[in-house]
Amino acid sequence: MTDTQGGLRGWAAGRRRSLSRLRFTSLRLRLVVVFALVALTAAVSASGIAYWLNREAVLTRAQDAVLRDFRQEMQNRAGALPEHPTQDQLQRAAGQMAASSQRFSVLLVAQDADGKTVYGNSGGINGFALEDVPESLRTAVAKRQKAADGDKESYHLYWQRVVDHGTPYLVAGTRVIGGGPTGFMAKSLEPEAKDLNSLAWSLGIATGLALIGAALLAQAAATTVLKPVHRLGVAARRLGEGRLDTRLRVSGTDELADLSRTFNNAAEALEQRVAEMAARDEASRRFVADMSHELRTPLTAITAVTEVLEEELEAETGSMDPMIEPAVRLVVSETRRLNDLVENLMEVTRFDAGTARLVLDDVDLADQITACIDARAWLDAVELDAERGLHAQLDPRRLDVILANLIGNALKHGGSPVRVSVREADDSIEIRVRDHGPGIPEDVLPHVFDRFYKASASRPRSEGSGLGLSIALENAHIHGGEITAANSPDGGAVFTLRLPRDASRLTEEGGGDAEDSRTGTDSTGKEGS
């Protein structure tokens, strides 16, 4: 059954590839159509000219032979008749004329001695009649011509081609010079028409064969031209997928070979550039990570000292000199800020290196948000709208980091009360954090998640490191979620966090290794627990 399904899938894929090659926008089809049109135009033109020339030659040759024979018979037979012949004489002469080599039908018209019109027909009563002769031809034959210098004859031989019941005929007529009967002739051109039809069929078949040959040649030419283009497209897709060692085999010296060489040179330059950038990026990450680890040791000692100094300040025993008290408070604040910055830098380094992992647990969202707010003493400034019992498979530590950054950012840059609402949508959850401040300027919105971005250039220093929102976004991404920022129509900024209800699929794909790093927040200067 599996082999059958695989065969059907392969057949369907091959059919799709064939159809894609024949789509109307494909270069292959356009080349075949152009070749076919050119061949069709040339073949039809050549066949038409050949047919016309052969038709004229065949008809002219047959016509000249018939007219020459008819003229000769009129001179020999009709010219030997008396000026006023009887009907019997006309009938006998018409029969003798029709017995010539051309086998045409003859009609002789004359007046007898009594002035009565008499007819002589080679075909009897139902043979060739005067009504079969076109009126225009009869008029031309009966008209007496004026004598000219080059032509002394009073009557000429006239002819015309007619079609009767689908059969072509040559009809001619003339009058005996010097007095005598008028003769008409009708000759069937059906044999010549059959020959011409055979010629037309032959030319049509030749045109069809030429069209098929042109299509085959176009297909061969298209394959020759498009095969390197197809290889180039495949190589470009591989290059776009990150396989920077992709190269094309170059053969020949034509334009396509030059294009392949150019692609190989570009791919080689790109591979070198990416390798250099990756090396610099790796060196930068290693520097940040090493610097952060190296700073931890002295920071631990400094933090211990500042904690002692902070306890002395809070004890209010008077042992602290009032003159140095502001400096001590500044040292405590800046030490805490530096500690947060180091923690944030280490977390960013983990994301950049791809070593950050999820440690999933069943999380009650309402309890998790309440714990985050309570741990930072925000209960009086935050309103929570969350239904109890709404659970999700998430990393609780990273969720706490996201919530702490979003809520802390809303409290610091927006205005209280900050409202946090939780909604369930299909297989995901949506957490909205809205403040009541002035909102986010439109030019700042695209950059709120950028690292170290400061909304105001006049205040480059702030209590935060400029990494909180970017770390929150990375933590959302590692869950397969997203964070968006916008302004509410009723005023204030709105951050919307969307996470899947179950992120276990991501840990299965990514390996799911646990890591116990801690992530700082910009909003409180405290580490997320």
Side-chain angles (χ1 to χ4, degrees), residues 19-42:
L19 291 176
S20 67
R21 293 194 190 102
L22 294 178
R23 64 184 186 274
F24 288 103
T25 56
S26 69
L27 184 58
R28 180 185 299 274
L29 182 58
R30 280 185 284 176
L31 283 173
V32 172
V33 169
V34 169
F35 268 76
L37 288 177
V38 171
L40 181 62
T41 302

PDB file of all heavy atoms in Angstrom, residues 19-42:
ATOM      1  N   LEU A  19       2.948  19.946 -16.374  1.00  0.00           N
ATOM      2  CA  LEU A  19       2.014  21.063 -16.578  1.00  0.00           C
ATOM      3  C   LEU A  19       2.703  22.395 -16.352  1.00  0.00           C
ATOM      4  O   LEU A  19       2.410  23.381 -17.032  1.00  0.00           O
ATOM      5  CB  LEU A  19       0.818  20.916 -15.634  1.00  0.00           C
ATOM      6  CG  LEU A  19      -0.127  19.737 -15.942  1.00  0.00           C
ATOM      7  CD1 LEU A  19      -1.213  19.648 -14.888  1.00  0.00           C
ATOM      8  CD2 LEU A  19      -0.747  19.891 -17.331  1.00  0.00           C
ATOM      9  N   SER A  20       3.632  22.442 -15.382  1.00  0.00           N
ATOM     10  CA  SER A  20       4.333  23.701 -15.148  1.00  0.00           C
ATOM     11  C   SER A  20       5.195  24.068 -16.337  1.00  0.00           C
ATOM     12  O   SER A  20       5.381  25.241 -16.643  1.00  0.00           O
ATOM     13  CB  SER A  20       5.193  23.590 -13.879  1.00  0.00           C
ATOM     14  OG  SER A  20       6.244  22.660 -14.070  1.00  0.00           O
ATOM     15  N   ARG A  21       5.744  23.025 -17.041  1.00  0.00           N
ATOM     16  CA  ARG A  21       6.540  23.329 -18.222  1.00  0.00           C
ATOM     17  C   ARG A  21       5.675  23.847 -19.359  1.00  0.00           C
ATOM     18  O   ARG A  21       6.143  24.564 -20.235  1.00  0.00           O
ATOM     19  CB  ARG A  21       7.282  22.068 -18.693  1.00  0.00           C
ATOM     20  CG  ARG A  21       8.358  21.579 -17.733  1.00  0.00           C
ATOM     21  CD  ARG A  21       9.247  20.569 -18.427  1.00  0.00           C
ATOM     22  NE  ARG A  21      10.123  19.905 -17.493  1.00  0.00           N
ATOM     23  CZ  ARG A  21       9.922  18.678 -17.033  1.00  0.00           C
ATOM     24  NH1 ARG A  21       8.866  18.003 -17.425  1.00  0.00           N
ATOM     25  NH2 ARG A  21      10.773  18.114 -16.184  1.00  0.00           N
ATOM     26  N   LEU A  22       4.386  23.466 -19.387  1.00  0.00           N
ATOM     27  CA  LEU A  22       3.498  23.839 -20.479  1.00  0.00           C
ATOM     28  C   LEU A  22       2.614  25.030 -20.148  1.00  0.00           C
ATOM     29  O   LEU A  22       1.711  25.350 -20.906  1.00  0.00           O
ATOM     30  CB  LEU A  22       2.612  22.638 -20.847  1.00  0.00           C
ATOM     31  CG  LEU A  22       3.349  21.437 -21.446  1.00  0.00           C
ATOM     32  CD1 LEU A  22       2.367  20.315 -21.705  1.00  0.00           C
ATOM     33  CD2 LEU A  22       4.078  21.817 -22.722  1.00  0.00           C
ATOM     34  N   ARG A  23       2.818  25.654 -19.007  1.00  0.00           N
ATOM     35  CA  ARG A  23       1.976  26.795 -18.690  1.00  0.00           C
ATOM     36  C   ARG A  23       2.248  27.917 -19.700  1.00  0.00           C
ATOM     37  O   ARG A  23       3.338  28.021 -20.255  1.00  0.00           O
ATOM     38  CB  ARG A  23       2.226  27.278 -17.265  1.00  0.00           C
ATOM     39  CG  ARG A  23       3.625  27.817 -17.028  1.00  0.00           C
ATOM     40  CD  ARG A  23       3.801  28.180 -15.558  1.00  0.00           C
ATOM     41  NE  ARG A  23       5.067  28.833 -15.336  1.00  0.00           N
ATOM     42  CZ  ARG A  23       6.200  28.222 -15.121  1.00  0.00           C
ATOM     43  NH1 ARG A  23       6.227  26.909 -15.105  1.00  0.00           N
ATOM     44  NH2 ARG A  23       7.323  28.903 -14.920  1.00  0.00           N
ATOM     45  N   PHE A  24       1.238  28.737 -19.915  1.00  0.00           N
ATOM     46  CA  PHE A  24       1.305  29.710 -20.996  1.00  0.00           C
ATOM     47  C   PHE A  24       2.378  30.765 -20.761  1.00  0.00           C
ATOM     48  O   PHE A  24       2.764  31.468 -21.689  1.00  0.00           O
ATOM     49  CB  PHE A  24      -0.058  30.375 -21.172  1.00  0.00           C
ATOM     50  CG  PHE A  24      -1.070  29.449 -21.779  1.00  0.00           C
ATOM     51  CD1 PHE A  24      -2.045  28.855 -21.000  1.00  0.00           C
ATOM     52  CD2 PHE A  24      -1.035  29.149 -23.128  1.00  0.00           C
ATOM     53  CE1 PHE A  24      -2.967  27.981 -21.560  1.00  0.00           C
ATOM     54  CE2 PHE A  24      -1.949  28.282 -23.698  1.00  0.00           C
ATOM     55  CZ  PHE A  24      -2.922  27.700 -22.916  1.00  0.00           C
ATOM     56  N   THR A  25       2.841  30.907 -19.537  1.00  0.00           N
ATOM     57  CA  THR A  25       3.889  31.886 -19.271  1.00  0.00           C
ATOM     58  C   THR A  25       5.286  31.283 -19.343  1.00  0.00           C
ATOM     59  O   THR A  25       6.263  31.988 -19.122  1.00  0.00           O
ATOM     60  CB  THR A  25       3.681  32.505 -17.879  1.00  0.00           C
ATOM     61  OG1 THR A  25       3.650  31.457 -16.903  1.00  0.00           O
ATOM     62  CG2 THR A  25       2.370  33.281 -17.826  1.00  0.00           C
ATOM     63  N   SER A  26       5.395  29.977 -19.646  1.00  0.00           N
ATOM     64  CA  SER A  26       6.702  29.335 -19.657  1.00  0.00           C
ATOM     65  C   SER A  26       7.452  29.699 -20.930  1.00  0.00           C
ATOM     66  O   SER A  26       6.873  29.854 -22.004  1.00  0.00           O
ATOM     67  CB  SER A  26       6.555  27.816 -19.553  1.00  0.00           C
ATOM     68  OG  SER A  26       5.979  27.299 -20.735  1.00  0.00           O
ATOM     69  N   LEU A  27       8.757  29.814 -20.779  1.00  0.00           N
ATOM     70  CA  LEU A  27       9.598  30.147 -21.924  1.00  0.00           C
ATOM     71  C   LEU A  27       9.608  29.017 -22.940  1.00  0.00           C
ATOM     72  O   LEU A  27       9.672  29.245 -24.149  1.00  0.00           O
ATOM     73  CB  LEU A  27      11.021  30.438 -21.429  1.00  0.00           C
ATOM     74  CG  LEU A  27      12.040  30.901 -22.482  1.00  0.00           C
ATOM     75  CD1 LEU A  27      11.555  32.161 -23.173  1.00  0.00           C
ATOM     76  CD2 LEU A  27      13.397  31.116 -21.847  1.00  0.00           C
ATOM     77  N   ARG A  28       9.531  27.768 -22.451  1.00  0.00           N
ATOM     78  CA  ARG A  28       9.531  26.620 -23.355  1.00  0.00           C
ATOM     79  C   ARG A  28       8.335  26.694 -24.302  1.00  0.00           C
ATOM     80  O   ARG A  28       8.469  26.538 -25.518  1.00  0.00           O
ATOM     81  CB  ARG A  28       9.494  25.328 -22.551  1.00  0.00           C
ATOM     82  CG  ARG A  28       9.492  24.060 -23.396  1.00  0.00           C
ATOM     83  CD  ARG A  28       9.331  22.849 -22.507  1.00  0.00           C
ATOM     84  NE  ARG A  28      10.418  22.740 -21.569  1.00  0.00           N
ATOM     85  CZ  ARG A  28      11.574  22.145 -21.824  1.00  0.00           C
ATOM     86  NH1 ARG A  28      11.767  21.597 -23.007  1.00  0.00           N
ATOM     87  NH2 ARG A  28      12.521  22.079 -20.911  1.00  0.00           N
ATOM     88  N   LEU A  29       7.150  26.924 -23.760  1.00  0.00           N
ATOM     89  CA  LEU A  29       5.949  26.968 -24.600  1.00  0.00           C
ATOM     90  C   LEU A  29       6.011  28.144 -25.565  1.00  0.00           C
ATOM     91  O   LEU A  29       5.615  28.040 -26.724  1.00  0.00           O
ATOM     92  CB  LEU A  29       4.703  27.060 -23.717  1.00  0.00           C
ATOM     93  CG  LEU A  29       3.372  27.057 -24.462  1.00  0.00           C
ATOM     94  CD1 LEU A  29       3.225  25.795 -25.301  1.00  0.00           C
ATOM     95  CD2 LEU A  29       2.218  27.197 -23.498  1.00  0.00           C
ATOM     96  N   ARG A  30       6.528  29.261 -25.080  1.00  0.00           N
ATOM     97  CA  ARG A  30       6.620  30.421 -25.974  1.00  0.00           C
ATOM     98  C   ARG A  30       7.587  30.163 -27.135  1.00  0.00           C
ATOM     99  O   ARG A  30       7.323  30.567 -28.265  1.00  0.00           O
ATOM    100  CB  ARG A  30       7.056  31.651 -25.175  1.00  0.00           C
ATOM    101  CG  ARG A  30       5.908  32.299 -24.396  1.00  0.00           C
ATOM    102  CD  ARG A  30       6.348  33.555 -23.724  1.00  0.00           C
ATOM    103  NE  ARG A  30       7.136  33.256 -22.532  1.00  0.00           N
ATOM    104  CZ  ARG A  30       7.724  34.174 -21.785  1.00  0.00           C
ATOM    105  NH1 ARG A  30       7.654  35.436 -22.114  1.00  0.00           N
ATOM    106  NH2 ARG A  30       8.391  33.834 -20.699  1.00  0.00           N
ATOM    107  N   LEU A  31       8.703  29.480 -26.843  1.00  0.00           N
ATOM    108  CA  LEU A  31       9.628  29.157 -27.928  1.00  0.00           C
ATOM    109  C   LEU A  31       8.986  28.215 -28.940  1.00  0.00           C
ATOM    110  O   LEU A  31       9.113  28.404 -30.157  1.00  0.00           O
ATOM    111  CB  LEU A  31      10.887  28.514 -27.346  1.00  0.00           C
ATOM    112  CG  LEU A  31      11.909  29.448 -26.689  1.00  0.00           C
ATOM    113  CD1 LEU A  31      13.002  28.641 -26.015  1.00  0.00           C
ATOM    114  CD2 LEU A  31      12.506  30.405 -27.709  1.00  0.00           C
ATOM    115  N   VAL A  32       8.277  27.195 -28.442  1.00  0.00           N
ATOM    116  CA  VAL A  32       7.617  26.256 -29.353  1.00  0.00           C
ATOM    117  C   VAL A  32       6.569  26.972 -30.185  1.00  0.00           C
ATOM    118  O   VAL A  32       6.461  26.762 -31.401  1.00  0.00           O
ATOM    119  CB  VAL A  32       6.988  25.100 -28.551  1.00  0.00           C
ATOM    120  CG1 VAL A  32       6.134  24.226 -29.458  1.00  0.00           C
ATOM    121  CG2 VAL A  32       8.079  24.252 -27.890  1.00  0.00           C
ATOM    122  N   VAL A  33       5.770  27.847 -29.558  1.00  0.00           N
ATOM    123  CA  VAL A  33       4.726  28.569 -30.287  1.00  0.00           C
ATOM    124  C   VAL A  33       5.335  29.487 -31.341  1.00  0.00           C
ATOM    125  O   VAL A  33       4.862  29.556 -32.483  1.00  0.00           O
ATOM    126  CB  VAL A  33       3.850  29.364 -29.301  1.00  0.00           C
ATOM    127  CG1 VAL A  33       2.925  30.322 -30.043  1.00  0.00           C
ATOM    128  CG2 VAL A  33       3.022  28.413 -28.447  1.00  0.00           C
ATOM    129  N   VAL A  34       6.417  30.189 -30.969  1.00  0.00           N
ATOM    130  CA  VAL A  34       7.048  31.104 -31.936  1.00  0.00           C
ATOM    131  C   VAL A  34       7.619  30.320 -33.113  1.00  0.00           C
ATOM    132  O   VAL A  34       7.423  30.694 -34.280  1.00  0.00           O
ATOM    133  CB  VAL A  34       8.137  31.942 -31.230  1.00  0.00           C
ATOM    134  CG1 VAL A  34       8.982  32.687 -32.257  1.00  0.00           C
ATOM    135  CG2 VAL A  34       7.502  32.929 -30.269  1.00  0.00           C
ATOM    136  N   PHE A  35       8.336  29.230 -32.821  1.00  0.00           N
ATOM    137  CA  PHE A  35       8.878  28.400 -33.904  1.00  0.00           C
ATOM    138  C   PHE A  35       7.750  27.883 -34.784  1.00  0.00           C
ATOM    139  O   PHE A  35       7.860  27.879 -36.023  1.00  0.00           O
ATOM    140  CB  PHE A  35       9.662  27.221 -33.312  1.00  0.00           C
ATOM    141  CG  PHE A  35      11.133  27.506 -33.123  1.00  0.00           C
ATOM    142  CD1 PHE A  35      11.576  28.293 -32.084  1.00  0.00           C
ATOM    143  CD2 PHE A  35      12.061  26.988 -34.002  1.00  0.00           C
ATOM    144  CE1 PHE A  35      12.916  28.557 -31.902  1.00  0.00           C
ATOM    145  CE2 PHE A  35      13.405  27.246 -33.848  1.00  0.00           C
ATOM    146  CZ  PHE A  35      13.835  28.030 -32.786  1.00  0.00           C
ATOM    147  N   ALA A  36       6.666  27.412 -34.167  1.00  0.00           N
ATOM    148  CA  ALA A  36       5.551  26.864 -34.932  1.00  0.00           C
ATOM    149  C   ALA A  36       4.901  27.940 -35.794  1.00  0.00           C
ATOM    150  O   ALA A  36       4.542  27.699 -36.955  1.00  0.00           O
ATOM    151  CB  ALA A  36       4.527  26.245 -33.982  1.00  0.00           C
ATOM    152  N   LEU A  37       4.727  29.132 -35.235  1.00  0.00           N
ATOM    153  CA  LEU A  37       4.115  30.209 -36.013  1.00  0.00           C
ATOM    154  C   LEU A  37       4.994  30.606 -37.196  1.00  0.00           C
ATOM    155  O   LEU A  37       4.500  30.845 -38.305  1.00  0.00           O
ATOM    156  CB  LEU A  37       3.854  31.424 -35.113  1.00  0.00           C
ATOM    157  CG  LEU A  37       2.709  31.273 -34.096  1.00  0.00           C
ATOM    158  CD1 LEU A  37       2.619  32.519 -33.230  1.00  0.00           C
ATOM    159  CD2 LEU A  37       1.388  31.027 -34.813  1.00  0.00           C
ATOM    160  N   VAL A  38       6.301  30.692 -36.955  1.00  0.00           N
ATOM    161  CA  VAL A  38       7.216  31.032 -38.048  1.00  0.00           C
ATOM    162  C   VAL A  38       7.170  29.954 -39.132  1.00  0.00           C
ATOM    163  O   VAL A  38       7.071  30.248 -40.336  1.00  0.00           O
ATOM    164  CB  VAL A  38       8.645  31.211 -37.513  1.00  0.00           C
ATOM    165  CG1 VAL A  38       9.638  31.352 -38.656  1.00  0.00           C
ATOM    166  CG2 VAL A  38       8.717  32.437 -36.607  1.00  0.00           C
ATOM    167  N   ALA A  39       7.229  28.686 -38.693  1.00  0.00           N
ATOM    168  CA  ALA A  39       7.184  27.596 -39.671  1.00  0.00           C
ATOM    169  C   ALA A  39       5.844  27.563 -40.395  1.00  0.00           C
ATOM    170  O   ALA A  39       5.783  27.345 -41.612  1.00  0.00           O
ATOM    171  CB  ALA A  39       7.427  26.259 -38.969  1.00  0.00           C
ATOM    172  N   LEU A  40       4.755  27.796 -39.653  1.00  0.00           N
ATOM    173  CA  LEU A  40       3.435  27.794 -40.279  1.00  0.00           C
ATOM    174  C   LEU A  40       3.308  28.919 -41.291  1.00  0.00           C
ATOM    175  O   LEU A  40       2.795  28.719 -42.404  1.00  0.00           O
ATOM    176  CB  LEU A  40       2.356  27.929 -39.196  1.00  0.00           C
ATOM    177  CG  LEU A  40       0.911  27.911 -39.685  1.00  0.00           C
ATOM    178  CD1 LEU A  40       0.596  26.577 -40.351  1.00  0.00           C
ATOM    179  CD2 LEU A  40      -0.050  28.170 -38.538  1.00  0.00           C
ATOM    180  N   THR A  41       3.792  30.105 -40.932  1.00  0.00           N
ATOM    181  CA  THR A  41       3.731  31.234 -41.861  1.00  0.00           C
ATOM    182  C   THR A  41       4.544  30.951 -43.116  1.00  0.00           C
ATOM    183  O   THR A  41       4.081  31.186 -44.245  1.00  0.00           O
ATOM    184  CB  THR A  41       4.246  32.504 -41.167  1.00  0.00           C
ATOM    185  OG1 THR A  41       3.464  32.750 -39.991  1.00  0.00           O
ATOM    186  CG2 THR A  41       4.151  33.704 -42.090  1.00  0.00           C
ATOM    187  N   ALA A  42       5.763  30.434 -42.916  1.00  0.00           N
ATOM    188  CA  ALA A  42       6.611  30.143 -44.076  1.00  0.00           C
ATOM    189  C   ALA A  42       6.004  29.042 -44.941  1.00  0.00           C
ATOM    190  O   ALA A  42       5.969  29.142 -46.180  1.00  0.00           O
ATOM    191  CB  ALA A  42       8.008  29.748 -43.607  1.00  0.00           C
TER     192      ALA A  42
END
